[in-house]
Amino acid sequence: MAGSERYDAIILGAGGAGLMCAAVAGQRGRRVLVLDHADEAGKKILISGGGRCNFTNLGTAPDRFLSANPHYARSALSRYTARDFLDMVERHHIAWHEKTLGQLFCNGSARQIVAMLLDECAGGDVTLHLGNAIADLTHADAGFTVRYGDRTAAAPALVVATGGPSIPKIGATGFAYDLARRFGLKVVEPRPALVPLTLPQDEALFRSLSGVAAPVVARAGKAAFAEAALFTHRGLSGPAILQVSSYWRHGQPIGIDFLPGRPNWLTDAKRTRPRATLRSVLGTLLPDRLAAVLADRLAIDTPLDEQRDAQLRDIEAKLADWQFQPDGTEGFAKAEVTVGGVSTDGLSSKTMAARHLPGLYFVGEAVDVTGWLGGYNFQWAWASGWAAAQTI
């Protein structure tokens, strides 16, 4: 430990969770060092929400998060809420708006959120060091020693806030998982989440719809989301698909209801427009290119009054649960977050601390807690960072 700079806590990762933890701990009087190999803080914040940062969601609740332990997030989320973060945003005079479904965005730039967090860190005299990877990290009775660049720092507390492997182009890695395993913690298999799905070659007809979007209900297993789906040159995307991707497993089908909330739409059309075709009726309800492809797949081109009601009900049922069999996802490169991560079995839900190793904490995306699309993952970053900061 000789020659080391001494701190109360060293935080690895200058993203949302790390900066939040540092700011709160610093303002509690702790001497805090934040380290990140990136040359800029908050890189994931900066690219989020189309550059406007969907910084939280007013509908935040534990049931909107995936984890092997569905109750783990409850404590932190209840103690640091979306309203708490919004209070900070308003204190910093950042204009915001609610888009849909409780999603809150900056009116201006995501840079305002990073600047706010850095201002809060400055208010706690936090030391921030960017641009050097961790060269070495050791643990002894007195705590943790970290070597970075030509410097060494030591502290009794180490907070791992390095995220998951999603979006590697901004420097994301699985570093947190390696560290967790090294210190005896389990890792739930990480996989891409909030990610577009790819379709096999035999669905090439749907690839002709690249760029077409429609409001749908998408399902994977028991999970269902009513939002827009977007066809791409590789498969399926859009908010509804990104949402179900977090629940989807290889080999599972995805069900799409192309006409949600419209029971008996085709049998009703037979009564009101008996000489209409399936193609023409679909054309009034869906984007024209999508209507044409679906009608072609269903291969019924005679007028509705020439079809039995049973046949029409069968078509209604198919379009209410159209089955796609994805062959994969677009991977971590396109995934907004990661499902899985450091197992919550070994962590305190109140403090985020490792149960068997005092002083070691994991927060944010590194942990096996993954939110829905729409600001939930940022709220987990704020809440988990705040929780750890109460005890370091």
Side-chain angles (χ1 to χ4, degrees):
M1 303 280 270
S4 296
E5 300 170 69
R6 297 303 304 267
Y7 293 89
D8 296 313
I10 298 169
I11 298 175
L12 306 183
L19 292 176
M20 184 69 174
C21 185
V24 175
Q27 291 180 28
R28 290 183 63 242
R30 303 299 187 263
R31 189 160 184 247
V32 179
L33 170 67
V34 179
L35 301 175
D36 200 306
H37 67 278
D39 57 2
E40 187 175 15
K43 281 198 166 183
K44 205 165 191 180
I45 297 172
L46 295 174
I47 65 170
S48 68
R52 289 191 171 182
C53 188
N54 178 191
F55 56 80
T56 193
N57 195 297
L58 297 176
T60 298
D63 63 359
R64 299 187 174 194
F65 293 80
L66 291 77
S67 175
N69 176 357
H71 303 294
Y72 181 80
R74 186 179 302 275
S75 174
L77 292 172
S78 67
R79 288 182 298 132
Y80 190 86
T81 67
R83 182 68 247 183
D84 291 324
F85 190 78
L86 187 55
D87 286 345
M88 185 193 299
V89 168
E90 292 178 338
R91 279 202 314 275
H92 285 258
H93 307 292
I94 298 172
W96 59 274
H97 62 279
E98 181 179 348
K99 196 171 179 182
T100 55
L101 304 172
Q103 302 170 37
L104 304 190
F105 288 78
C106 297
N107 287 359
S109 165
R111 289 193 175 277
Q112 295 173 284
I113 298 296
V114 176
M116 174 188 76
L117 292 168
L118 292 175
D119 283 350
E120 290 285 325
C121 284
D125 293 323
V126 170
T127 301
L128 179 66
H129 186 92
L130 303 173
N132 284 117
I134 303 302
D136 189 38
L137 192 159
T138 57
H139 174 258
D141 290 344
F144 299 86
T145 303
V146 179
R147 186 159 55 84
Y148 59 103
D150 59 357
R151 300 184 185 188
T152 302
L158 179 75
V159 181
V160 183
T162 54
S166 67
I167 320 183
K169 70 181 180 183
I170 62 169
T173 70
F175 178 83
Y177 309 151
D178 296 338
L179 206 56
R181 292 187 185 101
R182 176 179 157 190
F183 287 117
L185 291 161
K186 294 179 181 177
V187 174
V188 176
E189 179 193 2
R191 53 192 173 87
L194 302 183
V195 64
L197 300 174
T198 57
L199 294 174
Q201 286 297 328
D202 60 6
E203 293 285 13
L205 185 59
F206 283 96
R207 292 183 181 181
S208 70
L209 295 172
S210 182
V212 173
V216 303
V217 172
R219 297 184 184 86
K222 294 180 180 178
F225 293 91
E227 291 193 66
L230 170 70
F231 290 93
T232 73
H233 68 287
R234 296 191 64 188
L236 297 166
S237 189
I241 301 301
L242 298 183
Q243 293 278 39
V244 296
S245 73
S246 298
Y247 295 83
W248 177 77
R249 293 288 192 153
H250 278 275
Q252 267 190 336
I254 293 288
I256 302 287
D257 183 350
F258 282 110
L259 294 158
R262 293 180 181 270
N264 311 316
W265 60 273
L266 195 53
T267 49
D268 288 347
K270 178 180 175 180
R271 313 286 181 257
T272 58
R273 300 174 58 196
R275 298 307 292 168
T277 61
L278 172 63
R279 166 72 181 82
S280 64
V281 174
L282 281 175
T284 67
L285 302 172
L286 294 170
D288 197 61
R289 285 164 60 197
L290 176 57
V293 166
L294 291 171
D296 184 66
R297 280 288 179 101
L298 291 163
I300 293 176
D301 51 15
T302 54
L304 297 182
D305 64 356
E306 297 180 20
Q307 307 295 325
R308 298 192 313 277
D309 280 5
Q311 287 178 292
L312 300 182
R313 281 193 288 271
D314 184 53
I315 292 170
E316 289 170 345
K318 284 182 179 176
L319 287 168
D321 189 24
W322 194 282
Q323 297 285 295
F324 289 96
Q325 194 75 42
D327 59 1
T329 75
E330 293 197 19
F332 286 116
K334 296 291 180 70
E336 294 193 18
V337 290
T338 306
V339 163
V342 179
S343 173
T344 61
D345 288 350
L347 303 176
S348 161
S349 62
K350 184 177 181 181
T351 67
M352 310 290 122
R355 296 183 190 281
H356 74 293
L357 185 56
L360 178 64
Y361 300 76
F362 288 84
V363 297
E365 191 185 338
V367 181
D368 175 32
V369 174
T370 306
W372 289 1
L373 183 72
Y376 294 99
N377 289 292
F378 276 130
Q379 186 57 37
W380 170 245
W382 318 138
S384 59
W386 181 92
Q390 302 309 304
T391 57
I392 61 175

